[in-house]
Amino acid sequence: MSDPRSRLLLVRHGETDHNVQGRLQGQVDIPLNETGREQARAVAHALSRHSFDLVISSPLTRARDTARAIADAVGAAEVETEAAFIEQSFGKWEGLTGEEIHEGWPELHAQWRAGRTVPGIGIEDRESVGERFAVAARTLMAENPGAMILVVSHGAAIRAGITTLIGLDASAFHGIGGMGNCHRSLLEPLHSDPTGKAMRLLSHNVPADFA
């Protein structure tokens, strides 16, 4: 079981033009816009008084650039990438707005909005996202006992990951709110859990400029 001093800080990337336009990004590699770069600098400043043993990022540019800004502020030499922290895939709907999806697939869009599985689109289910995210997070904690680990990832991936890490069913539970751009959440191992897998959520969706 991980050392009680272990912590996992999850940060969502900064804003992109797709965020502004309400487009599903998924795994499309969209860069930060100017606001996103400002947000990255803000969260980097807020975290600059902290130290991190590891800075890990999704491989997508918007996450890596956010992670690099934080790493520079906290004096971390490297930003490692981990594919398991990539955003949820939304298949054929990536790059589309909600209105465009509704116009093209009205019934499937209604199913998706209701939280049901949508066939034939290639959307990665939340349970799979949560599990890959949680496995990678637990591995990092197990391999680095006592470490303060920062992971920069994406809204849907973080939401599903947190749900799984705190022992809930990511496919059915929707009680974890979404995260704002460059907002952050903090978790630590739940040592009363006999399996050694569960974590507890200490804070959630803390704004970028909250020091």
Side-chain angles (χ1 to χ4, degrees):
M1 186 176 293
S2 301
D3 186 287
R5 295 171 296 169
S6 298
R7 296 290 188 276
L8 180 68
L9 186 68
L10 306 177
V11 177
R12 185 187 176 197
H13 63 79
E15 184 185 271
T16 71
D17 286 345
H18 270 30
N19 290 147
V20 176
Q21 297 162 6
R23 297 185 182 276
L24 281 180
Q25 291 185 108
Q27 297 179 2
V28 178
D29 202 4
I30 305 300
L32 299 175
N33 60 21
E34 183 53 40
T35 298
R37 290 188 286 272
E38 291 177 0
Q39 291 170 336
R41 289 190 287 269
V43 72
H45 177 73
L47 296 175
S48 61
R49 62 190 178 89
H50 300 280
S51 61
F52 296 91
D53 299 285
L54 292 170
V55 178
I56 315 291
S57 173
S58 153
L60 297 179
T61 301
R62 58 190 182 270
R64 288 191 289 108
D65 288 351
T66 302
R68 184 69 264 170
I70 298 171
D72 289 344
V74 302
E78 295 184 15
V79 174
E80 300 179 27
T81 58
E82 171 52 64
F85 296 132
I86 199 169
E87 178 61 303
Q88 179 179 7
S89 172
F90 295 104
K92 297 176 183 178
W93 290 351
E94 291 189 351
L96 302 180
T97 65
E99 182 178 347
E100 290 169 339
I101 295 168
H102 180 72
E103 289 178 356
W105 301 266
E107 293 183 5
L108 292 181
H109 186 238
Q111 285 183 223
W112 184 60
R113 295 271 297 179
R116 298 195 296 272
T117 300
V118 177
I121 302 299
I123 297 176
E124 186 180 12
D125 65 85
R126 293 180 76 245
E127 186 176 16
S128 296
V129 178
E131 186 60 23
R132 65 166 162 82
F133 193 106
V135 167
R138 291 170 183 145
T139 299
L140 284 172
M141 300 291 279
E143 293 178 349
N144 300 277
M148 184 67 173
I149 301 169
L150 184 145
V151 171
V152 180
S153 184
H154 309 266
I158 290 175
R159 186 180 179 187
I162 289 175
T163 302
T164 302
L165 285 166
I166 63 176
L168 300 171
D169 181 359
S171 67
F173 181 75
H174 299 275
I176 301 295
M179 290 179 69
N181 291 112
C182 280
H183 285 43
R184 60 192 190 269
S185 296
L186 182 66
L187 300 97
E188 69 175 10
L190 182 63
H191 294 295
S192 61
D193 172 37
T195 70
K197 292 183 177 181
M199 302 184 74
R200 64 177 177 175
L201 186 61
L202 300 177
S203 61
H204 181 59
N205 202 30
V206 176
D209 57 357
F210 186 83

